[in-house]
Amino acid sequence: MLFQPRSIRHCKACGAAVRYVVPADDNRERAVCSACGLVHYENPLNVVGTVPVWGDQVLLCRRNIEPRYGLWTLPAGFLELGETTADGAIRETVEEAGAHIELEGLYTLLNVVRVGQVHLFYRARLLDTVFAPGPESIEVQLFDEASVPWQTLAFRTVRETLLHYFADRRRGRFEVHAADIS
Ligand SMILES: [Zn+2]
């Protein structure tokens, strides 16, 4: 099923009500202003994050916010305007985990069409073990593969990324993984 949030109610230019219709020369429904005619385009959002590594351990954050309050995640969040995906991944890691990292390259690219998102995770090297939960995290902790809280991970994309990480680690070779999450 196509992702059709139909979340827009009012025109962002004039505030009048919008209607979802297929504009001329288009092929899908858009929110079109009933007064000024502005067409509002909605596109997938990018979520960017990291796999922060210290020795054989990865750093996870326990979410202090909805959705998935109390579950564990890799540090990640929505890319902001004006930043690159790498900048955003570093910023989220600082904000959520208070961690000092150096990026080591793109690792996973995961399409989550159902919710209109693309998730990008970078591998990252922790520069030290000084970290602390930011406002969006309850706690931040290092886990080796056996101790990862696999049953209480917040998102499929985090699970996929961690599974790839530990598998690649065993093989001794890391490559970029692209996949679609249903
Ligand atoms: Zn309008």
Side-chain angles (χ1 to χ4, degrees):
M1 186 165 58
L2 285 177
F3 181 64
Q4 290 190 323
R6 289 175 173 267
S7 57
I8 298 174
R9 292 171 181 270
H10 300 283
C11 176
K12 71 180 180 186
C14 76
V18 303
R19 288 183 307 138
Y20 274 84
V21 296
V22 180
D25 302 324
D26 204 337
N27 55 18
R28 62 176 70 203
E29 290 190 345
R30 313 283 184 189
V32 179
C33 179
S34 56
C36 76
L38 182 70
V39 179
H40 301 73
Y41 295 94
E42 296 167 272
N43 301 99
L45 294 171
N46 294 300
V47 171
V48 292
T50 62
V51 185
V53 175
W54 180 261
D56 62 354
Q57 299 175 298
V58 299
L59 191 68
L60 300 180
C61 306
R62 198 148 79 86
R63 289 172 64 80
N64 193 32
I65 51 171
E66 296 290 351
R68 317 287 165 85
Y69 176 91
L71 300 186
W72 291 91
T73 184
L74 290 163
F78 290 111
L79 182 66
E80 298 286 0
L81 292 173
E83 65 184 4
T84 66
T85 52
D87 290 340
I90 293 170
R91 176 183 50 73
E92 289 290 345
T93 306
V94 171
E95 286 178 2
E96 296 185 359
H100 313 115
I101 57 165
E102 189 174 85
L103 288 192
E104 294 192 313
L106 181 63
Y107 189 53
T108 55
L109 187 164
L110 302 163
N111 290 290
V112 196
V113 173
R114 184 172 46 81
V115 294
Q117 297 178 358
V118 179
H119 292 206
L120 297 155
F121 286 92
Y122 286 80
R123 284 190 298 120
R125 189 170 68 84
L126 280 165
L127 300 176
D128 53 48
T129 54
V130 178
F131 43 79
E136 295 184 1
S137 304
I138 297 167
E139 57 182 317
V140 178
Q141 195 179 316
L142 287 167
F143 294 93
D144 62 21
E145 182 174 6
S147 64
V148 166
W150 294 104
Q151 304 308 317
T152 50
L153 293 177
F155 302 107
R156 280 272 312 276
T157 56
V158 168
R159 179 182 176 80
E160 288 282 319
T161 299
L162 289 172
L163 287 171
H164 281 304
Y165 179 79
F166 289 113
D168 282 358
R169 185 182 180 85
R170 279 193 295 275
R171 290 190 314 169
R173 184 161 54 89
F174 293 96
E175 55 192 41
V176 175
H177 301 272
D180 304 333
I181 304 293
S182 58

